[in-house]
Amino acid sequence: MVPSPLETIPAPLERVTSGVPGLDTILRGGFMRGGIYIFQGAPGAGKTILSNQICFHHVRDDGGCALFVTLLAENHARMIQHLRGLSFFDQDLVADKVTYLSAFREMRDDGLKALTNLIRREVQRRHCSMLVIDGLVSARATAETDLAFKEFIHDLQEIALATDCTTFLTTNLPQQADDASPEHTMVDGLIELNDRTYGWRAESDLQIRKFRGSGFLRGRHAYKITDEGFVAHPRIEALLAHPSQEDQGSVARTSSGVTGLDRMLNGGLPGASTTMIMGPSGAGKTTVSLHFLARSTEAEPGLMFGFYETPTRLMAKVDDICKPLAGTRR
């Protein structure tokens, strides 16, 4: 009996969460288990911190085992010194659950085949469920031909699939923005890290260039490296592209909080609308806004973002000019 096409469809891929604040939201749930992904960015963009943070989360929260392979990259002792200041780092997990391995000598002396054999052997021996290869650019420089490098990436894919080991490769940005490296077409995902300068100010952002098996939040998303590690901030217009509740299309009016203004507006502001209050300094823009907030209730709470006055100064103003709000603030 020939099985129907539906019976041959494999089960959905399982997710592996990154544990990086904001990143799993951008990826709509995390990485695919057994997938192979590239983090590319300029030196100092945070590739090594990001991949280490994912490893420690995977070991600590998912009970996995991670192998971190370096290729002519940062010295392991110096890397660990730098990681000690980050809250996700746990010295007790090093060596037993998070293993650091330098494979540059094998790659230099015997080529990519020897490197592949070493990685396969260590992943199987340690029963690793996560693998990081830090410094893929060195492997590409060692490859005698483009075909040899493609075969190396293909071999990594085979290892990931055979062992169900989620794999991350770190590398530099291409010299030209439109350059397409051969490995880009072979891997399951590509995440690009950028550090841009705007005048005197510098901003970091990440962009998902490719992600097989799932949708994701498109566009550039800001990120920072703090004492907690790598923190991503999903782009608001992408994160909130779809409303959390259905629009009722109401034409009801909402009081501005100022009786005379409500009369001028025929009952108040249109519901679910946006209104701009314009005027010079001292004209009363903040005062009108505070009276509007005073109409807030438990069912319809209010929120104010301020860019000039501190909360303490604003609360002092509330006590003087908006008594209804003074009695309800928390």
Side-chain angles (χ1 to χ4, degrees):
M1 181 177 179
V2 179
S4 68
L6 292 178
E7 293 176 348
T8 62
I9 295 177
L13 292 171
E14 295 183 30
R15 295 276 188 165
V16 175
T17 59
S18 69
V20 176
L23 182 56
D24 292 328
T25 300
I26 295 171
L27 298 175
R28 299 194 185 279
F31 298 95
M32 301 298 177
R33 187 179 303 278
I36 181 167
Y37 301 92
I38 289 179
F39 297 147
Q40 69 174 23
K47 304 182 296 295
T48 301
I49 289 179
L50 174 60
S51 50
N52 269 286
Q53 188 170 344
I54 293 173
C55 285
F56 277 92
H57 165 76
H58 179 65
V59 168
R60 182 186 298 106
D61 293 9
D62 298 339
C65 181
L67 175 64
F68 198 103
V69 179
T70 58
L71 306 176
L72 196 60
E74 192 174 9
N75 177 274
H76 291 169
R78 181 58 59 86
M79 180 191 297
I80 291 176
Q81 281 183 324
H82 293 159
L83 293 175
R84 285 185 189 277
L86 302 174
S87 64
F88 68 79
F89 179 78
D90 187 344
Q91 178 68 46
D92 294 337
L93 298 177
V94 176
D96 183 28
K97 291 295 184 178
V98 180
T99 303
Y100 292 93
L101 175 68
S102 176
F104 173 70
R105 182 172 299 177
E106 285 77 4
M107 180 183 67
R108 180 196 61 189
D109 295 343
D110 301 313
L112 293 183
K113 285 296 183 182
L115 175 60
T116 302
N117 291 335
L118 173 65
I119 292 173
R120 180 184 292 110
R121 182 173 64 251
E122 291 299 320
V123 167
Q124 293 177 340
R125 183 172 72 88
R126 301 174 187 275
H127 304 287
C128 294
S129 51
M130 184 166 287
L131 167 68
V132 174
I133 300 179
D134 194 21
L136 187 65
V137 63
S138 299
R140 185 170 187 178
T142 302
E144 297 180 356
T145 63
D146 284 344
L147 178 60
F149 185 66
K150 290 180 180 179
E151 290 176 347
F152 171 67
I153 299 297
H154 181 267
D155 290 340
L156 291 180
Q157 287 180 312
E158 293 297 322
I159 295 172
L161 288 172
T163 60
D164 215 18
C165 181
T166 309
T167 302
F168 300 98
L169 314 174
T170 73
T171 189
N172 294 337
L173 284 169
Q175 295 183 351
Q176 300 295 329
D178 56 351
D179 282 353
S181 300
E183 65 269 24
H184 291 177
T185 63
M186 302 174 67
V187 297
D188 297 299
L190 174 62
I191 298 180
E192 183 176 299
L193 307 181
N194 285 289
D195 189 67
R196 308 174 193 269
T197 302
Y198 304 91
W200 296 92
R201 179 170 54 90
E203 294 290 341
S204 300
D205 64 79
L206 67 88
Q207 186 171 2
I208 313 299
R209 293 289 188 181
K210 174 183 179 181
F211 196 76
R212 289 174 176 165
S214 171
F216 55 89
L217 297 185
R218 298 176 61 84
R220 288 159 45 191
H221 308 275
Y223 74 86
K224 292 182 180 179
I225 297 176
T226 70
D227 291 342
E228 304 298 317
F230 199 100
V231 179
H233 301 281
R235 193 163 56 91
I236 295 297
E237 57 268 39
L239 182 62
L240 304 179
H242 302 286
S244 58
Q245 60 185 17
E246 185 178 353
D247 186 5
Q248 301 297 322
S250 173
V251 294
R253 294 279 176 165
T254 299
S255 174
S256 67
V258 180
T259 304
L261 182 57
D262 287 345
R263 287 197 298 266
M264 295 171 63
L265 296 173
N266 294 324
L269 303 169
S273 66
T274 302
T275 301
M276 178 181 290
I277 303 175
M278 300 177 62
S281 299
K285 303 184 295 296
T286 302
T287 301
V288 173
S289 302
L290 292 174
H291 280 281
F292 177 66
L293 283 177
R295 306 290 298 182
S296 303
T297 64
E298 290 289 338
E300 295 182 334
L303 178 63
M304 182 174 186
F305 287 94
F307 298 95
Y308 297 104
E309 295 177 292
T310 64
T312 301
R313 186 176 293 273
L314 188 62
M315 289 301 100
K317 182 177 292 187
V318 166
D319 292 335
D320 290 335
I321 64 176
C322 190
K323 297 299 183 182
L325 185 59
T328 59
R329 76 175 192 268
R330 295 179 179 178

